[in-house]
Amino acid sequence: MKSLIASLAVVTTLLSATGLQAQAPATPPASYMMCMACHGMDGKGMGAGTPTPMAPPLSGSKLAGFADGELMASIVFTGIEKQDAKFLGIMAPLGAALNDAQMAEVLTFVRSNFGNKAPAVTADQVKGWREKYNGKPMQKRADLEAKLK
Ligand code: HEC
């Protein structure tokens, strides 16, 4: 029995040393609950794999992970103009529902979870971006994607 426990301990140590141990998913902050309804708990998009998912994945999203987060913030402030029927949902402007700290929190959460590895966003940055984008017309997907270059 003792040797069994000892070998289990060795295996556990080896697994964590090699990074093979299952990674517990980070608990999303309350601010992410608003996104979850469409983008899903796992960031893959509700209905991922069905012909018409609710929303695209945030996991691996170039728009979410781009640069310092201004592009992603601009999306949450203005929303995206619906131009096709690829998704059931619509990316509405959500700036009014989140204060600067909550917005910074949700942007940082998405950019550093679901396999994403982009730098954190501060409430100060969000304050400036709010002035720039909040209340502006919905952006077109093609214009957003053009900014990735
Ligand atoms: C009511 C559903 C809905 C909610 C709620 C929602 N989104 Fe979206 N989101 C969408 C849809 C649909 C698109 C794709 C729009 C398009 O291209 O036409 C999208 C696109 C995006 C994109 C671009 C992703 C990419 O790579 O294409 C980002 C980033 C994003 N949303 C972030 C968020 C964040 C952050 C929240 C929460 C604060 C949120 N969304 C809440 C439906 C939603």
Side-chain angles (χ1 to χ4, degrees):
M1 188 63 192
K2 252 195 186 145
S3 66
L4 177 63
I5 292 172
S7 39
L8 279 178
V10 169
V11 169
T12 312
T13 313
L14 279 177
L15 282 179
S16 54
T18 51
L20 284 173
Q21 205 174 29
Q23 262 189 356
T27 311
S31 48
Y32 183 70
M33 296 305 149
M34 192 177 298
C35 323
M36 208 171 76
C38 296
H39 292 286
M41 181 75 176
D42 55 5
K44 293 197 171 113
M46 291 298 274
T50 65
T52 319
M54 209 45 202
L58 295 178
S59 165
S61 160
K62 289 196 178 117
L63 295 174
F66 186 66
D68 62 357
E70 177 167 352
L71 189 58
M72 182 182 181
S74 82
I75 291 174
V76 184
F77 278 122
T78 69
I80 301 177
E81 195 180 300
K82 194 166 177 65
Q83 294 185 303
D84 54 37
K86 266 171 77 179
F87 304 106
L88 284 178
I90 176 165
M91 184 63 212
L94 297 170
L98 299 164
N99 66 29
D100 294 347
Q102 291 165 330
M103 179 75 86
E105 178 186 61
V106 76
L107 297 175
T108 299
F109 173 75
V110 169
R111 284 162 57 83
S112 56
N113 278 282
F114 312 136
N116 300 338
K117 289 188 178 63
V121 166
T122 67
D124 259 3
Q125 285 175 301
V126 170
K127 191 169 182 272
W129 296 336
R130 185 182 296 275
E131 279 161 24
K132 203 163 157 188
Y133 300 106
N134 204 26
K136 293 279 155 63
M138 282 182 140
Q139 300 182 82
K140 291 193 172 65
R141 185 167 195 97
D143 295 342
L144 290 166
E145 278 169 359
K147 291 186 183 164
L148 291 174
K149 282 155 207 154

